[in-house]
Amino acid sequence: MPRSLDPETVPAPDAAPRQTRRYAQKRDAILHAAAALINEAGVKGTTLADVARSVGLMTNSVTYYYRRKEDLAAACFLHTIGVLDGLVARAEAAPDGPARLARLLDLAVAHRAATAAGEEPDIAVLHDVRALPAPQAESVFSAYNALFRRLRGLFDEDGLDRQDRNARTHLLLSVLHSTRLWIGRYEPRDYARAGARMADLLTHGMAAPGFAWRPAPLPEQSPPEESEVSPEAFLRAATILINQQGYRGASVEKISGLLKVTKGSFYHHNDNKDDLVANCFARSFAQIRAVQDAAASRGGCGWDRICTASATLVRSQLGPGGPLLRVTAFSALPEALRTETRRTMNRLTERFGFCLVDGMADGSVRPLDAGIAAQLVSSMVNAAAELPAWVPGVTPDNAADLYARPLFLGLFVPAAR
């Protein structure tokens, strides 16, 4: 279990044990309720009054434990990081990198199974961390950086330089974070099997013997020529802000401010923010679909097609046509929009699976679980927009070799040189 994350709220040492337990139980109930609400509505869409109602308290009672909503949100995120850090610590006891990876994934899916069974409360998803103000954001980022460094130790034994280790650590964390989006397709009793298949894919890659990483990235599609108030400019600005601050954090004022235009200009080009966000998803989906179609049209074996599509999408995430809207934006969307966007994203993920199944049929992809492998590919592509934050020196030209190649050949393969 993680250590106490809110020392200022711990009772005095001479408090009676019963009072200490009661205090801790109530604090934990508030924390878990807030995590569920943050996962549903984001930091900006969660209020202390909402949290208080969910645990049967008055709002003033919640402020006794957490003075501000931002303090409570930060405590939720720190708790999540503490849980993940605890899993990594337990996995470190395994004898080598692949064994530690397998142990970590087994522990992670076991935690998800306990959550699904109601045996453990859910933890807050970390996608909304950037919506925190200072100083709360600094404490959460510091803890996450420490987690990143600890997990990076998984690759210390393999002769990789810092850039390669950072890219692989970001890939592994992206896969861990995204598991919650798709593992619910399985029975909780089968989560361990899913985790074992993830470990096999991440350790051994997807290529059949004799097939190397050889993507032929498709010609980059030039984005439409923009004026500062073009529809494309609004879509890109909104996508960037939603990725950074969540659906509710990306206000009309902030979108307009990023483009240096007035709110009046925003409403001249957009009926409302919900429609703009729907169009952002449509834009991202169209980009993924177009690359998948172009890779299929080029032909070749299944291995070549999925490598080409993936490398192209990773490169474009860092280019003038990027970024794609992160799937983490789903959680705070209105219900109707959330359902439809999830459905479309799942369909696009299945299209990666078609390439893998074709590859198994033509001998270019080794026997594997195509459904889980497609989810890993989709997760990798989706998180590529954040590479510059974690991999200094990454560029559109080297991103696929640093970041996508280890997924397809295995996280412990030597670096591309």
Side-chain angles (χ1 to χ4, degrees):
M1 294 296 291
R3 56 178 169 75
S4 175
L5 299 171
D6 191 5
E8 293 185 358
T9 64
V10 176
D14 58 350
R18 182 176 300 176
Q19 180 181 356
T20 301
R21 286 196 298 272
R22 186 184 306 118
Y23 184 99
Q25 289 168 355
K26 187 64 69 176
R27 182 196 58 200
D28 290 347
I30 292 169
L31 193 74
H32 299 322
L37 288 168
I38 288 171
N39 289 347
E40 182 71 20
V43 170
K44 295 290 186 181
T46 298
T47 67
L48 289 179
D50 294 332
V51 177
R53 279 192 296 271
S54 67
V55 292
L57 292 175
M58 300 294 291
T59 303
N60 287 345
S61 297
V62 173
T63 60
Y64 176 70
Y65 297 86
Y66 300 96
R67 293 188 183 92
R68 294 173 295 274
K69 179 182 75 173
E70 292 77 15
D71 297 330
L72 177 53
C76 289
F77 293 139
L78 287 169
H79 175 70
T80 295
I81 294 167
V83 169
L84 295 175
D85 188 71
L87 299 182
V88 176
R90 292 170 64 188
E92 287 172 341
D96 55 30
R100 289 193 288 272
L101 172 63
R103 178 63 174 152
L104 174 61
L105 292 172
D106 183 60
L107 291 168
V109 297
H111 184 268
R112 291 304 315 162
T115 301
E119 298 165 1
E120 291 283 346
D122 203 359
I123 56 178
V125 183
L126 297 174
H127 65 264
D128 229 13
V129 169
R130 289 188 181 89
L132 288 175
Q136 292 88 352
E138 282 79 358
S139 65
V140 175
F141 282 128
S142 177
Y144 191 82
N145 287 338
L147 171 66
F148 189 94
R149 289 192 296 271
R150 184 169 201 167
L151 189 57
R152 189 172 61 196
L154 194 70
F155 306 107
D156 284 348
E157 303 170 358
D158 295 285
L160 302 169
D161 66 21
R162 188 181 184 87
Q163 191 179 47
D164 286 301
R165 288 186 289 126
N166 280 1
R168 295 174 194 220
T169 304
H170 176 57
L171 172 60
L172 179 53
L173 277 168
S174 300
V175 167
L176 281 172
H177 293 324
S178 65
T179 300
R180 66 182 298 130
L181 297 176
W182 57 264
I183 201 166
R185 298 163 46 187
Y186 302 95
E187 289 283 334
R189 69 183 65 194
D190 293 326
Y191 284 12
R193 297 174 67 183
R197 292 180 181 185
M198 289 171 64
D200 173 68
L201 287 162
L202 291 171
T203 302
H204 301 293
M206 305 181 194
F211 284 83
W213 170 252
R214 56 187 187 192
L218 301 161
E220 190 149 8
Q221 300 293 318
S222 299
E225 192 169 324
E226 296 181 10
S227 70
E228 64 175 8
V229 292
S230 70
E232 176 68 13
F234 275 107
L235 291 174
R236 290 194 72 245
T239 297
I240 290 167
L241 282 171
I242 293 168
N243 285 350
Q244 291 178 347
Q245 300 186 30
Y247 169 75
R248 288 176 173 83
S251 64
V252 171
E253 290 83 356
K254 289 180 180 177
I255 295 169
S256 302
L258 188 61
L259 293 174
K260 297 181 172 61
V261 300
T262 65
K263 287 176 64 177
S265 179
F266 176 95
Y267 286 112
H268 177 74
H269 290 84
N270 306 278
D271 290 335
N272 54 63
K273 193 178 84 168
D274 283 355
D275 287 346
L276 176 63
V277 174
N279 289 334
C280 287
F281 274 110
R283 170 183 175 270
S284 295
F285 293 156
Q287 289 175 303
I288 296 171
R289 194 179 292 112
V291 169
Q292 291 173 328
D293 287 345
S297 296
R298 177 176 282 187
C301 63
W303 171 253
D304 286 342
R305 296 202 307 276
I306 195 161
C307 290
T308 292
S310 300
T312 300
L313 287 166
V314 168
R315 183 191 63 189
S316 66
Q317 282 267 50
L318 305 184
L324 301 173
L325 197 60
R326 291 295 310 272
V327 295
T328 51
F330 287 175
S331 62
L333 290 175
E335 182 64 34
L337 184 57
R338 186 190 319 168
T339 299
E340 183 57 34
T341 51
R342 282 190 185 278
R343 182 181 298 119
T344 303
M345 190 68 241
N346 287 337
R347 289 170 176 167
L348 294 174
T349 297
E350 293 294 339
R351 300 188 88 202
F352 290 125
F354 292 157
C355 294
L356 293 166
V357 172
D358 290 345
M360 285 187 279
D362 63 36
S364 61
V365 172
R366 71 181 181 92
L368 47 75
D369 188 315
I372 293 178
Q375 293 291 345
L376 301 188
V377 172
S378 184
S379 301
M380 179 271 296
V381 168
N382 193 255
E386 294 182 357
L387 276 171
W390 299 105
V391 188
V394 70
T395 68
D397 293 329
N398 66 13
D401 282 346
L402 283 169
Y403 178 64
R405 178 179 174 272
L407 176 62
F408 288 100
L409 299 184
L411 288 178
F412 300 97
V413 299
R417 294 287 182 259

